[in-house]
Amino acid sequence: MANRADNNGANLGFEAQLWATADKLRGNMEPSDYKHVALGLIFLKYISDAFEAKREELLGEELADAEDPEEYLAENVFWVPKDARWSHLQARARRPAIGKDIDVAMQAIEASNASLKGVLPKDYARPALNKVMLGELIDLVSGIGMAEEANRSRDILGRVYEYFLGGFAGAEGKRGGEFYTPRSVVRLLVEMLEPYKGRVYDPCCGSGGMFVQSEKFVEEHGGRIGDIAIYGQESNYTTWRLAKINLAVRGIDADIRWNNEGSFHKDELPDLRADFILANPPFNISDWGGDRLREDARWKFGVPPVGNANYAWLQHIHHHLAPNGTAGVVLANGSMSSAKSGEGGIRRVMVEADAVDCMIALPGQLFYSTQIPACLWFLARNKNPGGECRDRRGEVLFIDARNQAHMVDRTRKEFSDKAIARIAGAYHAWCGGADMPTYEDEPGFCKSATLEEIREHNHVLTPGRYVGAAVSDEDDVPFEERFAGLKDTLAEQFAEAEELSTLIQMKLEEVFHAG
């Protein structure tokens, strides 16, 4: 495989070329339309490759029937009818009726595999879809995974699928990025939480990236895939379909629920208590229907404001944690300091209840969908679980990771493997353990703060307030890094000033009405 030293394993050496070629083929189609055309074919190629590999194996067994669907389903391999196999479609790729052929193939696969019912795209025959382009795309996808053994083929196709998801997120901007969490951010969450074994949950699972990385984490660390049980919910039907396909590409079995009401109003898994929760909820959602949820068992720390769902997400996630469960949540920076509509009070109660374990400030330009600075909240049901972890009650770890990412193109940053290891290493050292190095505060990077120190800052959880300035010669820091740091700090201070102004206005109104 390609060297993974500093690129998070995101590039096999041909994904970028494949994306560029496929992107040219789409002509005047919008990325949102073309997305399902390309990703549907990549999925079809994967299940056909996996089927053919199993079929060859069965043909070599004397008592096996290579045309018996049960032989495949017993091995978690999708049954692919003859007219749906990739070789059949590839042979017909240049025919005018190829669109109809693909739709028939998708329908046949859904009919033969209950878990894929209603998931696959079936509109390749529509007149607006250029059939010459479609034939060329089939030829392009045909080159993926050829002459590869099954597991290698699965990994390649899975990574191509993920690369295309990222490419479409970039091409579509906000609309496309809503369902896609950048790979390096997911990897950081996974390396922090270490979901080796247990129930993993995402209440707003998007295209399923959190689950893919969780499973890969277990594989890379020698665990067993079956030790993880995966649960999720998604309110966007199209995105739910992408998640189902994304997981199927990798052979990951998961209970992913869909309804258009969402996790707040129709919690599909009300009794689930997860060992690990990884989530990237949509930031600062104002129309979440909070006016209909004024009384709810999930609001343990306070009723979240009607105009912003951030603290509803945090409390929904905390509610679903098992007794020793931990969670990593991506949110907008404002969640760390906002005092609007009672958010400051909810945050204070969460901190005093020891629900907050660690806070990480992220760099800007990590996400396809927004330039809003983001952060990571790590929540814990029990900060004294025993075992290898020490008693962390009364403490919160703050990490300022704003200078830990590097530019990967003109508009976007990523965390390298080295940066992820440094951030996760600080957290694991702080948590304790027999094999962990001794934790030490590092000015400008990390600080273990007591509840008393947090009270002095009015329960504001912005890491920059706690970690201080790095001990270094500023002249050795590149101008671009200093400028980016100053820009982030300024944006943070503007946000805090706006929130303080709002708080003062609210107090004045209270005094006025009281008078």
Side-chain angles (χ1 to χ4, degrees), residues 159-176:
R159 287 165 70 173
V160 167
Y161 191 90
E162 184 177 355
Y163 190 89
F164 268 55
L165 280 172
F168 284 116
E172 292 181 84
K174 179 169 176 56
R175 288 180 300 130

Side-chain angles (χ1 to χ4, degrees), residues 324 354 357 380-387 389-393:
N324 289 329
D354 259 327
D357 199 33
R381 267 280 183 170
N382 180 10
K383 290 164 75 171
N384 184 31
C389 295
R390 69 181 183 86
D391 185 350
R392 310 186 302 280
R393 289 175 295 182

Side-chain angles (χ1 to χ4, degrees), residues 74-85:
E75 298 291 328
N76 292 318
V77 175
F78 292 111
W79 165 256
V80 183
K82 288 182 179 180
D83 289 348
R85 295 170 193 174

Side-chain angles (χ1 to χ4, degrees), residues 102 182 282 436 449 475:
I102 296 172
M436 288 292 109
D475 291 336

Side-chain angles (χ1 to χ4, degrees), residues 430-445:
W430 178 76
C431 289
D435 299 326
M436 288 292 109
T438 302
Y439 170 81
E440 292 184 4
D441 290 339
E442 187 176 335
F445 177 62

Side-chain angles (χ1 to χ4, degrees), residues 196 214-220 222-230 250-253:
Y196 280 115
S214 296
E215 291 274 347
K216 194 159 187 65
F217 180 89
V218 173
E219 281 185 326
E220 290 182 349
R224 294 187 306 169
I225 293 298
D227 287 344
I228 285 182
I230 287 176
R250 293 160 173 83
I252 296 173
D253 186 28

Side-chain angles (χ1 to χ4, degrees), residues 143-381:
I144 308 173
M146 297 299 284
E148 299 281 357
E149 56 93 9
N151 289 334
R152 167 81 168 152
S153 178
R154 171 184 290 183
D155 187 50
I156 289 174
L157 282 156
R159 287 165 70 173
V160 167
Y161 191 90
E162 184 177 355
Y163 190 89
F164 268 55
L165 280 172
F168 284 116
E172 292 181 84
K174 179 169 176 56
R175 288 180 300 130
E178 286 175 347
F179 64 81
Y180 185 81
T181 307
R183 183 187 181 94
S184 71
V185 176
V186 178
R187 283 202 61 229
L188 177 57
L189 285 167
V190 169
E191 292 290 342
M192 294 278 287
L193 293 179
E194 295 189 317
Y196 280 115
K197 187 176 183 178
R199 293 152 296 184
V200 180
Y201 171 56
D202 184 346
C204 43
C205 67
S207 55
M210 300 289 189
F211 304 135
V212 170
Q213 288 295 313
S214 296
E215 291 274 347
K216 194 159 187 65
F217 180 89
V218 173
E219 281 185 326
E220 290 182 349
H221 290 76
R224 294 187 306 169
I225 293 298
D227 287 344
I228 285 182
I230 287 176
Y231 303 89
Q233 184 166 341
E234 174 57 41
S235 61
N236 183 301
Y237 181 71
T238 302
T239 307
W240 171 79
R241 287 168 55 194
L242 287 174
K244 294 281 284 186
I245 295 174
N246 197 13
L247 293 166
V249 162
R250 293 160 173 83
I252 296 173
D253 186 28
D255 184 357
I256 309 296
R257 310 285 181 89
W258 168 81
N259 69 63
N260 58 12
E261 296 180 58
S263 294
F264 293 136
H265 295 278
K266 191 175 181 182
D267 188 352
E268 291 281 351
L269 300 157
D271 299 323
L272 174 67
R273 296 298 178 265
D275 301 292
F276 305 99
I277 299 178
L278 302 94
N280 177 17
F283 296 171
N284 301 324
I285 293 298
S286 60
D287 57 349
W288 64 284
D291 55 320
R292 292 179 279 131
L293 287 173
R294 294 295 81 195
E295 295 183 11
D296 195 288
R298 291 170 291 183
W299 312 150
K300 178 181 178 181
F301 306 110
V303 180
V306 170
N308 194 309
N310 288 345
Y311 279 86
W313 282 116
L314 287 171
Q315 294 190 84
H316 173 88
I317 287 165
H318 187 272
H319 173 79
H320 276 283
L321 284 175
N324 289 329
T326 53
V329 188
V330 186
L331 279 180
N333 266 6
S335 63
M336 299 188 290
S337 57
S338 172
K340 295 178 182 177
S341 307
E343 288 182 330
I346 299 174
R347 185 172 57 252
R348 174 181 56 78
V349 175
M350 291 181 70
V351 171
E352 295 292 341
D354 259 327
V356 182
D357 199 33
C358 176
M359 298 295 302
I360 299 180
L362 297 176
Q365 298 178 272
L366 283 176
F367 295 85
Y368 294 100
S369 55
T370 180
Q371 292 303 310
I372 297 174
C375 63
L376 300 180
W377 288 68
F378 288 88
L379 308 179
R381 267 280 183 170

